[in-house]
């Protein structure tokens, strides 16, 4: 259900693919393509999905090259850097509204699907008016079940919370990620060590992470952030 099996390790959750080229210099790598389609339900639909994604990336590449021809490479790169700097500058103005200090928050996962729990997620948020530090070092040890969240999921949850502090039309780019850092403890539910299972970390634990971020930021900026969510993506 929900494409998440009751697995006790990463290998039980499905095929693990390292970064590989689906296209090499524009040419489809048919062995990789066949490997992917042989390991999914509805391969016909998935083939269309992959084609649509490839087309969207190609369209982006074409448009970037068009801009480079119109403006020149140096000018285009200068505009890109300027956009990053703008997001950082506006975001830092938002951070200046926060109270300085350390603000703690906590929530928990009721169960890991293997009968273990509750699993606390603890955050110590440090603010100094210029930069945020999200420290999850006091969170529970990694779970036997697949509710562990890898670093990408944790960083995305923090980035989302920071983005909610900023004006609605602010471009989300690398400039936003200059505003904060994330600390996790290896071997924890938010810093799992391979081959810990992680399928549910993206759809369940990610929601609790956002809620914990909102709790801590709410103490630093009362009355200005969204309330916590339902704490789940409600997958069946």
């Amino acid at each position: 259900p929900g494409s998440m099996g009751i697995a006790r390790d990463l290998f039980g959750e499905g095929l693990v693919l390292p970064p590989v080229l689906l296209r090499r210099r524009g040419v489809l790598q048919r062995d990789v393509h066949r490997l992917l389609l042989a390991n999914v339900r509805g391969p016909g639909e998935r083939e269309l999905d992959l084609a649509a994604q490839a087309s969207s990336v190609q369209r982006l590449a074409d448009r970037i090259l068009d801009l480079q021809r119109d403006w020149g490479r140096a000018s285009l790169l200068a505009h890109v850097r300027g956009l990053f700097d703008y997001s950082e500058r506006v975001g830092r103005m938002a951070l200046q509204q926060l109270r300085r200090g350390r603000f703690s928050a906590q929530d928990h996962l009721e169960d890991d699907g293997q009968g273990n729990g509750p699993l606390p997620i603890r955050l110590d948020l440090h603010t100094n008016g210029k930069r945020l530090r999200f420290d999850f070092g006091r969170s529970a040890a990694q779970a036997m079940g697949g509710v562990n969240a890898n670093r990408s999921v944790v960083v995305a949850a923090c980035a989302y919370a920071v983005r909610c502090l900023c004006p609605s039309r602010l471009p989300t780019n690398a400039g936003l990620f200059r505003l904060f850092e994330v600390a996790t403890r290896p071997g924890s539910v938010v810093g799992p060590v391979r081959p810990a299972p992680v399928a549910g970390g993206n759809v369940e634990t990610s929601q609790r992470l956002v809620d914990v971020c909102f709790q801590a930021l709410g103490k630093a900026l009362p009355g200005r952030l969204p309330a916590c969510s339902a704490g789940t993506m409600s997958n069946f």
Side-chain angles (χ1 to χ4, degrees), residues 71-86 173:
W71 294 358
R73 184 174 184 273
S75 179
L76 177 60
L77 289 175
H79 279 80
V80 169
R81 288 191 292 268
L83 193 61
F84 291 171
D85 292 343
Y86 171 75
N173 54 42

Side-chain angles (χ1 to χ4, degrees), residues 14-104:
L15 182 68
V16 180
L17 287 172
V20 293
L21 291 175
L22 185 59
R23 292 178 181 270
R24 189 182 298 273
R25 298 188 180 277
V27 178
L28 179 66
Q29 303 302 292
R30 298 197 176 279
D31 52 350
V32 178
H33 193 244
R34 288 196 301 271
L35 177 64
L36 289 171
L37 296 182
N39 283 277
V40 295
R41 300 184 185 95
E45 289 186 356
R46 301 295 77 74
E47 186 171 24
L48 292 174
D49 285 344
L50 288 171
Q53 292 178 56
S55 296
S56 69
V57 174
Q58 185 60 55
R59 176 62 62 89
L60 173 63
D62 292 342
R63 289 182 174 180
I64 290 175
L65 291 174
D66 287 343
L67 286 173
Q68 180 172 290
R69 281 189 289 271
D70 291 344
W71 294 358
R73 184 174 184 273
S75 179
L76 177 60
L77 289 175
H79 279 80
V80 169
R81 288 191 292 268
L83 193 61
F84 291 171
D85 292 343
Y86 171 75
S87 291
E88 179 185 9
R89 186 166 60 251
V90 175
R92 214 169 288 285
M93 291 173 62
L95 297 190
Q96 291 174 1
Q97 303 174 53
L98 299 173
R99 297 173 179 172
R100 271 55 174 238
R102 174 175 174 249
F103 304 92
S104 298

Side-chain angles (χ1 to χ4, degrees), residues 154-177:
V154 180
V155 172
C158 296
Y160 174 76
V162 172
R163 183 65 186 78
C164 288
L165 292 170
C166 302
S168 60
R169 295 183 63 83
L170 182 71
T172 300
N173 54 42
L176 183 76
F177 289 81

